Amino acid sequence: MTQNPTALHDLSLTELASQLRNRQVSAVEAAQHFLARTKAHPTLGAYVALNEDATLAQAQAADARIAAGTAGPLAGVPIAHKDIFVTKEFPSTAGSKMLAGYQSPFDATVVSKLAEAGAVTLGKLNCDEFAMGSANENSAIAPLGFDAPAPVRNPWDTSRIPGGSSGGSAVAVAARLAPAATGTDTGGSIRQPASFCGITGIKPTYGRASRYGMIAFASSLDQAGPMARSAEDCALLLSAMCGPDPDRDSTSLDVPAENFSAKLNDSIEGLRIGVPAEFFGEGLAPDVRAAVDGALKEYEKLGAKLVPITLPRTELSIPVYYIIAPAEASSNLSRFDGVKFGHRAKDYTDLVDMYKKTRAEGFGDEVKRRIMIGAYVLSHGYYDAYYLQAQKIRRMIADDFQNAFKECDVIAGPVAPTVAWKLGEHGSDPLADYLADIFTLPASLAGLPGMSVPAGFGEGGMPVGLQLIGNYFKEAQLLNTAHRLQQATDFHLRQPGGL
């Protein structure tokens, strides 16, 4: 192989894929480089599992396909997966003691689709337990290099949270421990950590990417998506991840996969960007607003038109989400009872006692909190008062977006009200974490595609993300809108110091 003048971890995914195709670097060399880099930076807590033999075997197979001229678009590109996706060759724990040591007999559809495109799996990434959290402080699994569970740390400032639940994924990409990673977004868990860590992440339209093999949190909200440095990289990944999977996922949409890279360089002259008044009110930190305003001005320079819009039920998204998501979680997590798989209590007197002790030992505080809330709102006498009402308002929130899209093509605003906060700052106040999701929840409840694009830096030099929300199946337009901003700015190219 010819000598590569740029360190492999400094190449974008698109650049690395090109070098692999042109045989300037081998897939084995790339895999070894990122494995060594991962082991050199364990203090961030991003990875929870490696399997070097499996990774190198996949890389060797990728090199063989490249040599034979049968390689896919991602041939040899190393990718790490959030530990919410099941994988045959790596443990799958969902960040929970309940699944400690669990080895799946199959790969999640998203994992297998990326593998079919040629991607090589580097390892599994830390996440909040069962994807429940906004800070990645809720993992019950010890990261690589740790003897006990530990929070993931933001590489821009290791005293701060990376965001959650896909915090390990965001940190791996931001710290150049992987060119890209998979994430899942239930209420903002791709967009918020992408914003806090200064990378790009996109949640596609609900049902675009199969949920088969994604350990369920809230089935009507969970959606897989890619996290990488740029919109260009995310387009390449999303093209491989999406596509119908009706035989294995009943919520999978019968919409064919498309090439999301095809229209990246289209002009955005005349694009109508909706700016919701509700996203710029009290509670939005001045430093975040300044960065978002700066990004919107860049769009005006590129020929886009800013249109004031309203999403009147934005504030209701928090109570609606925290009724619907826990309700679905309480149902989904009932399968973890110690009978067939996962943790089982050692000492118990009968079956009911085993259930109680297993679930008490296996689930963390946040998971228990959401199970209890969910069971309550679904219980007799409260279903109509809470769950049914929440579903009605959810429909109204979706209608608000459709009314807004009559006046604009894309909606833009902040991802979160503040930059990443300090580890432990929210302490035992889960409501503080919940309130941080106010700008990401509406799009999730409506099932719309949304993404976070680096837009600048705020207090303490911490990254700020611009949120872009599109109408159903408008991922290509979103990615084009993001790419044009990234051609005009360099925020997505900046990286944390000391790495």
Side-chain angles (χ1 to χ4, degrees):
M1 295 294 167
T2 57
Q3 187 65 35
N4 180 17
T6 305
L8 293 180
H9 58 271
D10 287 328
L11 296 171
S12 70
L13 178 140
T14 305
E15 291 167 339
L16 181 57
S18 175
Q19 291 205 3
L20 285 158
R21 276 196 308 275
N22 295 327
R23 303 178 74 182
Q24 293 171 264
V25 64
S26 74
V28 169
E29 286 172 336
Q32 288 172 331
H33 178 86
F34 281 98
L35 287 170
R37 189 164 169 78
T38 293
K39 287 186 281 189
H41 296 283
T43 55
L44 295 172
Y47 279 83
V48 291
L50 298 177
N51 179 346
E52 292 188 49
D53 290 342
T55 298
L56 294 175
Q58 290 178 27
Q60 287 166 356
D63 279 332
R65 287 193 293 273
I66 292 168
T70 59
L74 295 173
V77 174
I79 291 177
H81 294 293
K82 182 177 180 179
D83 197 24
I84 206 80
F85 294 99
V86 300
T87 43
K88 282 190 295 190
E89 296 180 302
F90 300 80
S92 303
T93 69
S96 179
K97 181 181 176 183
M98 187 63 86
L99 283 171
Y102 174 69
Q103 198 87 15
S104 170
F106 64 94
D107 283 331
T109 296
V110 162
V111 173
S112 61
K113 276 183 171 290
L114 287 166
E116 286 163 15
V120 171
T121 300
L122 279 173
K124 301 297 283 292
L125 296 165
N126 210 341
C127 61
D128 280 308
E129 185 178 5
F130 288 106
M132 298 182 191
S134 302
N136 224 145
E137 293 179 293
N138 294 334
S139 176
I141 299 297
L144 290 177
F146 288 75
D147 296 326
V152 185
R153 294 178 179 272
N154 194 313
W156 291 91
D157 177 351
T158 54
S159 70
R160 295 180 188 253
I161 59 107
S165 62
S166 307
S169 300
V171 169
V173 174
R176 287 16 182 196
L177 308 183
T182 53
T184 60
D185 193 308
T186 305
S189 290
I190 286 174
R191 290 161 287 160
Q192 188 241 37
S195 173
F196 286 176
C197 292
I199 66 165
T200 307
I202 181 168
K203 175 194 89 74
T205 302
Y206 177 79
R208 273 282 226 179
S210 174
R211 292 190 305 106
Y212 180 73
M214 183 198 303
I215 298 169
F217 162 17
S219 300
S220 74
L221 293 157
D222 296 344
Q223 189 58 193
M227 303 175 77
R229 283 186 233 167
S230 68
E232 185 178 29
D233 291 351
C234 283
L236 196 59
L237 291 159
L238 194 63
S239 300
M241 292 170 68
C242 288
D245 191 23
D247 294 338
R248 297 184 294 185
D249 174 12
S250 62
T251 62
S252 173
L253 297 171
D254 188 16
V255 178
E258 63 180 277
N259 178 7
F260 293 113
S261 303
K263 297 183 178 180
L264 279 184
N265 292 306
D266 285 4
S267 169
I268 59 169
E269 183 79 34
L271 182 79
R272 299 172 302 163
I273 299 178
V275 183
E278 293 79 8
F279 282 28
F280 291 86
E282 188 180 350
L284 179 62
D287 56 332
V288 173
R289 175 157 195 161
V292 171
D293 285 345
L296 294 176
K297 285 175 184 171
E298 286 292 338
Y299 276 123
E300 286 187 301
K301 291 179 190 174
L302 292 167
K305 180 183 177 185
L306 302 186
V307 180
I309 60 167
T310 182
L311 296 171
R313 295 177 179 86
T314 295
E315 282 192 8
L316 292 176
S317 63
I318 293 177
V320 167
Y321 177 86
Y322 283 101
I323 287 172
I324 293 172
E328 295 183 7
S330 72
S331 175
N332 279 324
L333 270 60
S334 63
R335 72 193 69 179
F336 300 104
D337 55 12
V339 176
K340 288 187 176 179
F341 54 83
H343 174 75
R344 179 186 291 180
K346 288 184 179 179
D347 302 311
Y348 49 88
T349 55
D350 56 25
L351 186 64
V352 173
D353 190 44
M354 186 196 79
Y355 288 158
K356 289 179 178 178
K357 288 180 177 174
T358 294
R359 292 168 69 80
E361 294 170 8
F363 291 136
D365 290 345
E366 182 60 30
V367 175
K368 289 175 185 172
R369 186 179 295 117
R370 298 199 194 192
I371 289 172
M372 291 170 70
I373 291 170
Y376 177 79
V377 300
L378 290 175
S379 62
H380 181 69
Y382 296 102
Y383 179 91
D384 288 351
Y386 294 109
Y387 185 75
L388 196 60
Q389 292 301 318
Q391 290 288 19
K392 288 177 180 176
I393 298 171
R394 180 184 193 173
R395 169 47 53 196
M396 294 176 186
I397 290 170
D399 289 343
D400 287 344
F401 276 106
Q402 291 311 302
N403 288 330
F405 282 124
K406 292 173 185 174
E407 301 174 35
C408 65
D409 305 303
V410 172
I411 293 170
V415 175
T418 66
V419 295
W421 54 89
K422 296 281 187 179
L423 285 161
E425 187 175 317
H426 289 176
S428 57
D429 179 13
L431 192 58
D433 280 2
Y434 299 171
L435 292 171
D437 298 335
I438 187 166
F439 301 136
T440 54
L441 292 178
S444 290
L445 289 165
L448 293 165
M451 66 186 298
S452 176
V453 188
F457 296 85
E459 178 257 325
M462 297 304 294
V464 175
L466 173 76
Q467 180 173 206
L468 297 174
I469 301 168
N471 212 343
Y472 301 112
F473 311 116
K474 295 291 188 179
E475 291 85 359
Q477 184 180 53
L478 272 188
L479 288 159
N480 165 237
T481 305
H483 181 59
R484 295 313 299 249
L485 178 67
Q486 292 181 335
Q487 288 177 315
T489 61
D490 70 347
F491 301 123
H492 64 294
L493 300 175
R494 300 188 197 179
Q495 56 183 299
L499 292 168

